[in-house]
Structure formats: C-alpha cells, structure tokens
Amino acid sequence: MWRKFFPFLDWGSSISRESLRCDLIAGLTGAVIVLPQGVAFAMIAGLPPEYGLYTAIITPIVAALFGSSLHLISGPTTAISIVVFSAISPYAEPGSIEFIRLALTLTFLAGVYQLAFGLARLGALVNFISHTVIVGFTAGAAILIATNQLKHIFNMQVPDGESFLHTWMHLFLHFNDINGYSSAVAGATLVSAIVLKRLLPRWPHMLLAMIVGSVTCKLLDGSSHQVRLIGQLQAHLPPLSLPDFSIGTIRQLAPEAFAAALLGLIEALSISRSIAVHSLQRIDGNQEFIGQGLSNLIGSFFSSYAGTGSFTRSAINYQAGAKTPLAAIFSAIFLALILLLIAPLTAYLPVAAMGGIILLVAYHLIDFSRIITIIKTSKHETAILLTTFSATLFLELEFSIYAGVLLSLVFYLKRTAHPQIIHLAPDSNYYPRRLKNSETNKLTECPQIKIIRIDGSLFFGAIHHVADSLYRIRVKFPECKYLLIVANGINFIDMAGAEMLVQEIRYWRYKGGDLFLSGLKPEAEEILQQGNYLAGIGKENLFDSKANALTAILKYIDPLQCRKCTQRIFFECRATPDRCSFEITENRNLGKGGKMKLQEQIKKDLTSAMKAKDEPKKETLRVIIGEFGRLDKKELSDEEVIKVLKKLIKSEKELLEKKGETEDSEFIKIIENYVPKTASEQEIVAWINQNIDFSKFKNKMQAMSSIMKHFGSLADGNEVKKILEKL
C-alpha cells in the first residue's frame, strides 16, 4: 500500500555498494553538465541566472522520488523555458520581481495540472499525441531562442517586435551599432565550445567554453568597451517562495500553465521511454505524471520555475552508469555545493558568453535527422511538423502546442476511423493456399467470391467507411454473391459495428448470397454473442481460419457458373468440369428422410449420366458434391458424399444377394466408377518424371504447387512431399 504512494521504497532491493558508487559518479557528472545549462535556461526564461540552478536542485529530487523512471533527470529545459518567457513577458518585465512571482505561479498551476492527470490515470493519453509535435515545437523554439540572444551577443537595444522577423530586420538596419568586443567574446565562447566538444567529448565543454569567454573578455578589457557581465550569483540554497494565489492571476495564467504542463508531460514520458528501450525498464506513465506534477508543485515554493525531463542530462546519466534514481539526487546535492563555492566567480561571466552558449543549445534543439525522416516517410507527420513549427514562429507558443496536439489527434482519429481494407486472392505459386493482396500483386479474383481483410476496429467512428467500402464492392462486382471478411485484424467491435455487420449480411443474402467471417478474435465474438447479434449473422458463418471458410463457401457457389469460369484460382476449381452431359435439378429440398432422398437423387443423377463416359470421374463427382452442398445450406464434404455412394453400393449388392443374382447390376458398375481412387505413388512419380523440370522451380514448395494443381484431391500433400524428398 505504502509503495504505491511512495515508489522510492522499491529502491531498497536495488541499492548496493556498487550501485552507490555508480550513482555518485553519474551524479557528479550531471552536476557539472547542468551548471552552465541552468544559467543559460534561466536567461531564456527571462529569470535571474540562479533560478535555473534552483530548479536544477529541487525539481530532480522530487521527480526522482515520486517518478517511475530510473534514469530520467528533470529540471530546466529549453522548451519549457521559452514557454515560460512567452507566457509571462506580456504581463511583466523579464527579470523583475513581478515576473518571478508570475513564473512561480505558472509553475504551481502546471504542477497541479500534471498531478491531476496522474491521479486520474490519464498517462495513456500521451500515446495519442505524436512526438512530431515536440520536434516541430523545439525546432521553432530554437529559432526564437537564437533570435532572442542576438541582442546580448551584439550588445544592442532591440525593441520588442511582432515576430522574430522584426528582430532580424532591426539588426540588419542597425548593423553599424553592433558591439565588436561583445561579438568577439560570444564568438570565442561558441567556437571553443564546438571545438572542445569534438576534441574532448567527455569533458564539460560548455563550462570550459564559459571560462574561455570570461578570459577573452578580460584580455579585451571588455568592461571598458560596454561588454556587460552577468554579475555575482547569490551563494545560498534555494530560498522559500510563495506563488500568487489571487483569482485574477490564476485565471490569467491558467491557459499558459496548461500548455506548459502538457509539453512537460510529453517530453518527460517520451524521454523516459526512449531510455527504457535500452535499460529494459517498464515505465508507468501515470506515476511519471505524478512525479512531474509534484516536482513543479513543490518546486514553486522553493524558487524553482517549471521543469521537465531533460534528454541530454538523462542520456548522460544513463551512459555514466547510473543504477537508481539516487543519481539524480546526488547530482542535485553536488550542484548545491558547487553553487555555494563558485557563486562569486560568476561576477566575471559576460552576458555575451552566455549568449554564445545558448546559440549552441538552440542549434542542438533542431533534430535534423528526425525532420528529414518525417518528411520522407509520412505526409501526415510532415503536416503536423510544419503546422507546429510555423505556429511556434508566428503565433503564441501555447497555441502552437495546442495546434500540434489537436492536429495529431485529428490524424489519429482519421486513421482509426478509416481501417485499411485489403482485397485478397490466392497466389497460385504457393501450396498450401496463401492469400495475398490482389491489387498490389495483380492476382486474379474469383467472380463469385470476394475476399477482403479489415485491419482496424469496427467502432462507431469507422462503420461508415467500412459500409461505404462494402457498398462499392457490391456495385463493382454485381455477379459476386459471397463475401469473406478475414477478421484477424479486427481487435474490437462495438454495438454500432455489430449492427453494421448484421445489416451487411442482410444485403448479401437479399442478392442470393451470404457474408462470412474468419479468424474473429474471441473478445469481438463475445460482443456479438452478448448482444444477440449472432442470431442475425449465424454461428455457421463464423470460421476459425481462412482455409475452413473457403472450403465451406466453395460448396455454396453456382457450379454451372464454375463450369463456364476460366479463372480456376482455387485448388478446388481444378476438379470442376468445363461441361456436363446431364442437368442437375435446381432448388432441391431434402426435407424429412434426408438420407434416403439424397441416395435416390444421387442414383437418379448417376443413372442419367450413364452416357457421360467421356467425363472424368472425379470431376463429375465434384459437380454432384458442389450441388448437394447447397441443399438447405447443408455442408457435405467429399468424404461424406463418398460414404453415401459406398452405402448405395452396399445396399444394392445386399438387394441382389437376396434376389439370388450373382452379377453386379449396371447401376453398381456406374456408381463404382464415380468413387474416386487415390493416385498411387507410381502414378505420381511417373507423372513427375514426365512433366516436371526441377530446374525451373526455386524451391520444393513451388514444385509441390504444380503437382497438386494436376492431381487435385486425388493426391495427398504430405505424400507428395515425401515423394519429392525421395526424388
């Protein structure tokens, strides 16, 4: 019970001397990494530099204690920082006391939203939001962040414009006002950061680059040339703070807080899951929501602004060997100690140097490889990317997040409401029978049987698309009377979907045919059973496999039309004659005493077929089986009909014995001719040696397919396989 509310109690079994050593090393590494980032992100958010470090101390501790990921490191991030700045800058001057107070209130509200989502078990909702929203938003935010830092890099006064384009235009028109010394410091910092990262990838390149920028400023005597310095940080731990709980402020910031909360949850959950792929850990989305919510809610009372999971710091934490969330707590402790020690040194850090670092951060925000992949692979994802990216640049940031999320949900609903319907047909190159996409593989379809596969659930939002598709099939193939739906891809059927199936079956039966389903999942069949929809569909119309369904359906089709057909795409079609010298009575009804009537009818048909000696015996039998299989929808297999024929022979011989006649009657001779005999091994081998050239086949299965096409039901597939192995 307690472990449910305090997930950190589960760490006990994972903590050991070795894990503590690994977590300490990973924590120290993370503290060094986050030091320059915290300062840079606070500047992006429009807050004093120390607030980024306060957030990097408080937020990861609470998120680690109450989250579910072992390696996620929370704290200030670029995306959340730009949202905070965009949300509050219209109401207060960045860096002012009022700005700080509103930032804390925004953080508190975002935490409340996130905590409420977690307690309501809404963690699965993030699954329906495309990660492309984050890719597009961060790419647009990177341009805004870089644009916002140009005034610090060039040490120019840039008025607030309607968009980033106004800032660029102002810089272009006032190019002569650029401070060369400030630009040189920013350039030295940026270049050194890039070079150090390439030459010494394991070293804290941002921290070292900031030192290079400070030294460059000192060598150029920047203070004498109007190069501004950040100033000394306050050397103390995060102080207590109090958000503004007035109704007016809450009403004012509630929409922006929701956008920050949503963005933070998407980032945190996507990062924790991406790392879990490598660590093989199961992530609880609801618990992660709770952890993120509590970290922001509690952090707002300790001078921390909104934070979320950081991909860079989380990846470094995992690569550094972290074993438990203690690594995040150790990182926060080390950062607090470093803050107390180096706070006086920040008095020598130029603002332009931080601008150069932030330019590098902004560049790495743009995931070029992912953007190229999205554009190449999906039109829908590309639309989401461009919409979110454009909205980020030209509209309010919170609206850009809503726009991206809304568009991703629209495309998701469109996909689920339009399940893919694949037209299938048997591929004659395979034995046993294999159904493949008839359109992409250009396969011939049966004129009497239409086979489709539905990949998607049949729910109220999808039934109109499915019903329209089935209607188009009926219009396009008017002679087709039987429809087989391969339902292996149907995961769920609701009441609307079940009613649609019943209605479709009525349509097909009205035109003299029927509709069948194969491979329906037990859960979906249970819905049909509970709603009494099976009464309208018919239990006999459900099959566990495609093979069983086709075997049954082929007995219903019109044999007269089969004799005229030239397609012959099923193995069963090989035994259908092109012509028949006798007519079979239509619309028979077995009624009572079915077996006797069936015997008499077969006797009558065979007697009338006495002169049909040129007809292959097995083909004539197939015609009889195909016709009798339609009687009262009674399904008769080959074996069942053969049993009837053998019983007729036995009865006829017993009758002759009673009469004292020793010679078989003409009827017995005829009916014995219509009982098919299995092809012998010698016959199969002889035909193979005469007709099969193995060099023309890629494998044994293709050879088997050709053999079975010739022999049909007179040869057993397993026996043919054994013969091929001998050969």
Side-chain angles (χ1 to χ4, degrees):
M1 180 65 178
W2 289 107
R3 294 178 186 273
K4 182 178 180 181
F5 295 100
F6 303 103
F8 54 84
L9 296 176
D10 290 329
W11 301 354
S13 58
S14 305
I15 297 175
S16 63
R17 179 177 296 180
E18 176 63 20
S19 71
L20 285 174
R21 185 185 68 82
C22 294
D23 289 341
L24 280 169
I25 295 174
L28 180 59
T29 304
V32 174
I33 294 296
V34 77
L35 178 62
Q37 288 186 349
V39 175
F41 295 156
M43 292 183 62
I44 293 173
L47 294 165
E50 59 267 22
Y51 279 81
L53 300 179
Y54 295 159
T55 305
I57 293 173
I58 301 299
T59 302
I61 294 177
V62 180
L65 290 173
F66 294 96
S68 67
S69 175
L70 297 177
H71 303 98
L72 182 69
I73 302 294
S74 296
T77 65
T78 317
I80 293 293
S81 297
I82 190 65
V83 170
V84 170
F85 176 81
S86 174
I88 302 175
S89 56
Y91 308 119
E93 180 68 24
S96 64
I97 296 177
E98 177 66 13
F99 190 95
I100 296 172
R101 184 176 60 83
L102 293 178
L104 297 176
T105 306
L106 179 79
T107 302
F108 174 82
L109 293 174
V112 171
Y113 283 131
Q114 293 172 333
L115 181 61
F117 287 157
L119 294 176
R121 318 300 291 175
L122 298 178
L125 289 180
V126 176
N127 299 335
F128 301 103
I129 300 174
S130 173
H131 185 67
T132 306
V133 175
I134 300 297
V135 176
F137 175 79
T138 52
I143 295 176
L144 296 181
I145 290 168
T147 301
N148 193 46
Q149 293 304 310
L150 293 179
K151 60 184 178 183
H152 300 302
I153 292 173
F154 299 137
N155 197 8
M156 296 174 59
Q157 293 295 327
V158 179
D160 294 334
E162 296 179 6
S163 71
F164 70 101
L165 296 176
H166 289 79
T167 302
W168 289 4
M169 184 62 67
H170 180 85
L171 292 173
F172 178 76
L173 295 176
H174 298 80
F175 184 79
N176 294 330
D177 296 338
I178 292 177
N179 187 313
Y181 292 92
S182 180
S183 303
V185 170
T189 306
L190 178 61
V191 171
S192 60
I194 296 172
V195 173
L196 287 170
K197 184 178 182 180
R198 177 162 300 194
L199 299 179
L200 304 170
R202 294 184 176 275
W203 287 45
H205 60 283
M206 286 188 181
L207 186 60
L208 295 176
M210 289 165 63
I211 295 174
V212 171
S214 300
V215 172
T216 302
C217 180
K218 191 68 175 176
L219 293 175
L220 294 176
D221 193 17
S223 57
S224 301
H225 297 86
Q226 298 179 343
V227 177
R228 293 182 293 118
L229 303 178
I230 287 180
Q232 182 176 335
L233 298 179
Q234 300 181 23
H236 57 67
L237 298 177
L240 293 175
S241 58
L242 187 65
D244 184 357
F245 295 118
S246 64
I247 299 299
T249 302
I250 293 176
R251 184 185 296 113
Q252 186 180 53
L253 297 179
E256 288 84 354
F258 185 83
L262 189 61
L263 178 62
L265 292 178
I266 297 172
E267 273 198 300
L269 202 55
S270 60
I271 292 169
S272 59
R273 285 178 176 173
S274 64
I275 295 177
V277 171
H278 302 283
S279 65
L280 304 180
Q281 184 204 352
R282 192 188 74 84
I283 300 298
D284 184 348
N286 296 313
Q287 192 61 50
E288 203 61 55
F289 278 21
I290 292 174
Q292 292 297 316
L294 286 175
S295 68
N296 284 320
L297 194 150
I298 295 174
S300 66
F301 294 96
F302 289 91
S303 301
S304 301
Y305 73 95
T308 184
S310 166
F311 185 81
T312 302
R313 298 194 295 275
S314 299
I316 291 174
N317 184 53
Y318 175 70
Q319 294 168 1
K323 303 297 182 184
T324 72
L326 280 175
I329 297 175
F330 289 151
S331 176
I333 295 174
F334 284 133
L335 178 61
L337 295 175
I338 294 173
L339 174 62
L340 296 176
L341 293 175
I342 70 160
L345 299 179
T346 59
Y348 304 99
L349 181 62
V351 173
M354 285 307 307
I357 291 295
I358 293 173
L359 277 184
L360 184 62
V361 171
Y363 174 79
H364 288 298
L365 269 181
I366 305 176
D367 192 344
F368 292 101
S369 61
R370 186 65 179 269
I371 292 173
I372 293 173
T373 302
I374 290 171
I375 294 174
K376 286 182 177 180
T377 56
S378 174
K379 293 181 179 179
H380 287 168
E381 295 297 314
T382 301
I384 295 172
L385 174 71
L386 294 177
T387 299
T388 311
F389 177 76
S390 302
T392 302
L393 291 178
F394 298 104
L395 304 176
E396 297 294 335
L397 285 186
E398 60 272 15
F399 179 79
S400 67
I401 298 172
Y402 296 149
V405 169
L406 180 62
L407 192 59
S408 65
L409 289 175
V410 167
F411 284 134
Y412 169 78
L413 291 175
K414 183 180 179 181
R415 284 193 295 268
T416 55
H418 291 76
Q420 196 171 13
I421 298 179
I422 309 296
H423 295 245
L424 303 175
D427 190 339
S428 59
N429 295 321
Y430 293 92
Y431 182 84
R433 176 166 39 216
R434 181 178 297 181
L435 298 178
K436 302 182 72 175
N437 190 320
S438 61
E439 296 175 340
T440 58
N441 293 281
K442 299 181 179 179
L443 299 175
T444 304
E445 299 185 59
C446 176
Q448 298 193 67
I449 305 174
K450 186 68 179 176
I451 309 171
I452 63 171
R453 186 183 74 233
I454 298 178
D455 294 337
S457 298
L458 293 182
F459 70 107
F460 65 92
I463 59 172
H464 297 291
H465 170 72
V466 176
D468 288 344
S469 300
L470 297 182
Y471 172 76
R472 287 193 293 270
I473 290 174
R474 292 196 301 272
V475 173
K476 187 176 181 180
F477 306 97
E479 296 182 358
C480 180
K481 292 185 177 181
Y482 297 94
L483 176 67
L484 171 61
I485 297 178
V486 179
N488 301 75
I490 300 177
N491 296 314
F492 170 73
I493 298 178
D494 66 358
M495 291 179 58
E499 291 171 357
M500 185 273 295
L501 285 177
V502 173
Q503 185 65 32
E504 284 298 323
I505 285 180
R506 290 174 182 166
Y507 288 142
W508 287 91
R509 288 176 180 171
Y510 178 77
K511 64 184 295 187
D514 213 337
L515 184 149
F516 305 86
L517 296 106
S518 72
L520 192 64
K521 289 181 171 60
E523 297 81 4
E525 186 173 345
E526 185 178 355
I527 296 294
L528 300 179
Q529 182 72 46
Q530 291 175 349
N532 198 31
Y533 296 107
L534 277 184
I537 297 173
K539 184 73 174 178
E540 68 277 5
N541 285 37
L542 303 184
F543 297 90
D544 57 351
S545 68
K546 300 184 289 290
N548 292 340
L550 286 172
T551 301
I553 298 171
L554 286 168
K555 297 173 183 177
Y556 294 137
I557 62 178
D558 185 0
L560 298 176
Q561 188 174 348
C562 283
R563 285 177 227 136
K564 303 174 185 177
C565 180
T566 59
Q567 308 300 339
R568 308 297 175 96
I569 63 173
F570 298 107
F571 293 125
E572 291 83 350
C573 298
R574 315 299 179 188
T576 304
D578 294 331
R579 63 192 185 282
C580 187
S581 60
F582 63 92
E583 295 297 329
I584 295 181
T585 308
E586 298 288 343
N587 301 320
R588 297 178 184 143
N589 191 337
L590 292 179
K592 297 181 179 179
K595 285 189 177 181
M596 288 300 298
K597 289 189 177 183
L598 177 62
Q599 292 177 17
E600 290 297 320
Q601 192 64 59
I602 291 178
K603 182 177 178 179
K604 178 181 177 182
D605 286 335
L606 291 177
T607 303
S608 66
M610 286 174 58
K611 297 180 181 179
K613 295 180 180 179
D614 62 324
E615 285 289 333
K617 302 176 183 62
K618 63 183 182 69
E619 294 185 354
T620 304
L621 178 63
R622 283 285 184 181
V623 175
I624 297 172
I625 293 172
E627 192 64 29
F628 273 91
R630 293 158 60 93
L631 302 180
D632 285 350
K633 295 188 178 178
K634 179 178 178 63
E635 297 177 8
L636 296 176
S637 65
D638 295 9
E639 292 76 18
E640 290 172 331
V641 174
I642 291 171
K643 285 180 182 179
V644 173
L645 296 176
K646 288 182 177 179
K647 187 174 181 180
L648 282 171
I649 295 173
K650 183 179 179 181
S651 300
E652 190 74 12
K653 286 186 176 182
E654 289 176 353
L655 181 62
L656 292 175
E657 287 177 1
K658 290 180 181 180
K659 293 181 179 181
E661 297 179 10
T662 57
E663 187 178 352
D664 289 342
S665 66
E666 187 177 13
F667 173 75
I668 291 179
K669 294 178 182 178
I670 293 174
I671 200 169
E672 282 182 335
N673 289 334
Y674 287 98
V675 177
K677 298 176 178 60
T678 304
S680 65
E681 180 177 342
Q682 291 79 6
E683 291 174 331
I684 296 174
V685 171
W687 187 86
I688 290 175
N689 291 333
Q690 185 177 355
N691 297 279
I692 295 295
D693 183 1
F694 288 100
S695 63
K696 295 182 179 180
F697 298 101
K698 295 182 180 179
N699 50 50
K700 184 167 59 182
M701 296 305 295
Q702 289 188 357
M704 278 192 67
S705 177
S706 179
I707 296 167
M708 294 305 296
K709 286 179 186 178
H710 174 77
F711 284 97
S713 62
L714 299 184
D716 180 78
N718 292 327
E719 293 299 323
V720 173
K721 186 176 181 181
K722 291 179 182 178
I723 292 171
L724 286 176
E725 290 173 351
K726 289 181 182 180
L727 294 177

